[in-house]
């Protein structure tokens, strides 16, 4: 399989199961999308279809204005928001939306999750910020995401009274950010039941984030020439 659209249909379909696996969604809520590299197109989940009925074939191909290019179902109700992000953040290759419990509890309070854990410094490099309240149906949510995350190191935003939106270089990275967002939102919430979480110095946050983003994990092997 070499067709990039077909590859991303399969990847996006499979990644929705990760949202279920990590208990980030219930019923038919939530969605994953991916930008088609080099094209003004994206693949996104169909609206209102159960997760166990999602297949590569019923993923929806849309242009970056949210218009359906190929697919038998209506696209996700968040399509306009995803499309707006892709139009205004060319570095983004994947967008995810969840209603995960602990992150939504912070969103319901309109409160950012403070960067008080090394895991947060690693993945987010800052607090997980709050975006504005916006109604579903047009690009208002997308505008809030872009306005909040533009120039921010966090790949996640908590849209006030709504839920989590995450971005990434690809759809898998955006799913990872959504998983990590819920994990740290839960931990910091529990910490606050015991007392006020201790801050991490900004210089240490910067150092941790740089190491995680540039050194941690398996790095490409540099070719050497004798």
């Amino acid at each position: 399989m070499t067709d990039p659209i077909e590859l991303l249909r399969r990847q996006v379909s499979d990644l929705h199961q990760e949202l279920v696996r990590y208990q980030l969604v219930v019923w038919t809520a939530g969605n994953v999308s991916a930008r088609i590299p080099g094209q003004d197109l994206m693949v996104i989940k169909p609206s209102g279809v159960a997760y166990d009925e999602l297949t590569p074939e019923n993923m929806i191909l849309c242009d970056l204005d949210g218009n359906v290019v190929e697919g038998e179902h209506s696209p996700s109700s968040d399509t306009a928001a995803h499309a707006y992000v892709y139009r205004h953040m060319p570095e983004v290759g994947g967008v995810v939306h969840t209603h995960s419990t602990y992150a939504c509890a912070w969103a319901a309070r309109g409160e950012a999750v403070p960067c008080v854990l090394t895991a947060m410094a690693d993945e987010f490099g800052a607090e997980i910020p709050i975006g504005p309240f916006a109604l579903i149906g047009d690009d208002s949510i997308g505008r809030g995401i872009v306005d909040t995350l533009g120039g921010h190191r966090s790949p996640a935003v908590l849209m006030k009274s709504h839920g989590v939106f995450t971005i990434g270089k690809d759809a898998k990275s955006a799913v990872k950010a959504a998983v990590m967002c819920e994990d740290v939102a839960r931990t910091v919430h529990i910490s606050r039941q015991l007392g006020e979480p201790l801050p991490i110095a900004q210089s240490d946050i910067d150092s941790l984030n740089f190491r995680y983003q540039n050194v941690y994990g398996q790095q490409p092997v540099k070719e050497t020439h004798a």
Side-chain angles (χ1 to χ4, degrees):
M1 187 184 299
T2 57
D3 183 336
I5 294 176
E6 293 308 311
L7 283 170
L8 282 179
R9 282 182 185 274
R10 180 166 298 280
Q11 182 187 54
V12 169
S13 176
D14 290 347
L15 284 170
H16 279 93
Q17 302 312 315
E18 296 299 294
L19 303 188
V20 175
R21 176 187 176 193
Y22 287 98
Q23 299 182 324
L24 304 184
V25 295
V26 296
W27 204 238
T28 62
N31 39 70
V32 179
S33 73
R35 184 200 296 265
I36 308 297
Q39 302 183 52
D40 291 335
L41 297 170
M42 66 177 187
V43 172
I44 194 166
K45 169 182 176 285
S47 178
V49 176
Y51 277 83
D52 58 4
E53 296 175 6
L54 296 180
T55 66
E57 292 72 27
N58 63 24
M59 295 296 106
I60 310 301
L61 183 66
C62 295
D63 65 23
L64 297 191
D65 290 313
N67 301 309
V68 174
V69 174
E70 187 175 292
E72 297 181 359
H73 296 78
S74 299
S76 166
S77 58
D78 292 303
T79 296
H82 289 239
Y84 187 92
V85 172
Y86 290 129
R87 292 199 308 272
H88 292 85
M89 303 182 82
E91 72 279 10
V92 171
V95 178
V96 170
H97 173 45
T98 75
H99 294 163
S100 58
T101 303
Y102 283 88
C104 279
W106 290 85
R109 294 195 301 268
E111 184 177 357
V113 183
C115 187
V116 293
L117 298 166
T118 59
M120 287 193 69
D122 289 345
E123 180 70 21
F124 303 99
E127 68 177 13
I128 300 175
I130 283 286
F133 177 78
L135 294 176
I136 301 169
D138 58 19
D139 62 13
S140 298
I141 292 174
R143 291 176 184 274
I145 296 168
V146 171
D147 289 347
T148 305
L149 294 185
H152 201 291
R153 282 197 297 212
S154 174
V157 56
L158 308 179
M159 295 299 286
K160 185 178 179 182
S161 304
H162 185 174
V164 180
F165 282 85
T166 60
I167 58 175
K169 65 181 180 180
D170 52 31
K172 184 176 181 180
S173 297
V175 169
K176 177 193 175 189
V179 172
M180 294 295 292
C181 178
E182 177 64 5
D183 181 63
V184 299
R186 177 178 182 271
T187 303
V188 178
H189 170 79
I190 292 171
S191 174
R192 293 212 314 183
Q193 311 314 299
L194 304 173
E196 191 64 27
L198 301 176
I200 300 175
Q202 186 61 53
S203 60
D204 291 331
I205 292 173
D206 294 342
S207 178
L208 287 162
N209 184 254
F210 179 85
R211 176 186 175 276
Y212 186 75
Q213 301 298 332
N214 297 282
V215 179
Y216 175 81
Q218 302 301 309
Q219 303 300 314
V221 177
K222 295 181 179 178
E223 292 185 8
T224 58
H225 300 280

